[in-house]
């Protein structure tokens, strides 16, 4: 059972990236998937979550209107489309799966993927 976040990289401010969260060993269909990030020297921040039924439950104020979460059941993948990126978006981004619901805090998630680094240059 493994989650893997990918798609990070170096981008200029104002640019876009799409992160993917893929699962191996289990299907994401029955899980609620959250995206989190952790910037250097800062705590973990919950960004968004999509429920097992496909409903988007929240966006953090810091990314609302710029980031979009979605899922593709056929590909067993959840995406985070990030537009209008800012230098303060620089962080390691993680996805996590919960069988119980969507939560802004990470403690209630069952599985975590390895993160992917996003660096936004000014």
């Amino acid at each position: 059972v493994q989650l893997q976040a990918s798609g990070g990289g170096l981008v200029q401010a104002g640019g876009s990236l799409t992160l993917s969260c893929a699962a191996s060993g289990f299907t994401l269909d029955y899980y609620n998937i959250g995206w989190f990030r952790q910037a250097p020297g800062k705590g973990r921040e919950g960004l968004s979550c999509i429920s097992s039924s496909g409903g988007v439950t929240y966006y953090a104020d810091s990314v609302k209107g710029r980031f979009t979460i979605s899922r593709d059941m056929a590909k067993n993948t959840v995406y985070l489309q990030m537009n209008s990126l800012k230098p303060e978006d620089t962080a390691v981004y993680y996805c996590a799966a919960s069988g119980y619901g969507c939560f802004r805090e990470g403690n209630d998630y069952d599985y975590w993927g390895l993160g992917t680094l996003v660096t936004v240059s000014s």
Side-chain angles (χ1 to χ4, degrees), residues 13-118:
S16 299
L17 282 174
T18 299
L19 304 184
S20 300
C21 176
S24 59
F26 70 107
T27 178
L28 292 180
D29 291 8
Y30 306 110
Y31 288 88
N32 308 277
I33 307 300
W35 280 100
F36 295 80
R37 70 184 178 188
Q38 187 161 16
K42 296 188 177 181
R44 184 171 56 199
E45 178 186 14
L47 301 177
S48 184
C49 185
I50 189 165
S51 70
S52 56
S53 61
V56 180
T57 60
Y58 81 94
Y59 287 103
D61 288 344
S62 58
V63 304
K64 197 174 297 181
R66 300 188 298 122
F67 290 11
T68 303
I69 193 171
S70 62
R71 66 192 304 159
D72 185 330
M73 299 292 198
K75 295 183 178 180
N76 205 28
T77 301
V78 172
Y79 302 98
L80 186 69
Q81 173 69 42
M82 307 187 297
N83 298 325
S84 302
L85 284 163
K86 305 174 182 180
E88 51 263 44
D89 293 318
T90 295
V92 178
Y93 285 69
Y94 301 88
C95 58
S98 168
Y100 302 101
C102 274
F103 307 98
R104 294 177 183 262
E105 301 296 327
N107 294 340
D108 294 308
Y109 285 81
D110 305 301
Y111 305 110
W112 285 85
L114 297 176
T116 185
L117 176 63
V118 173

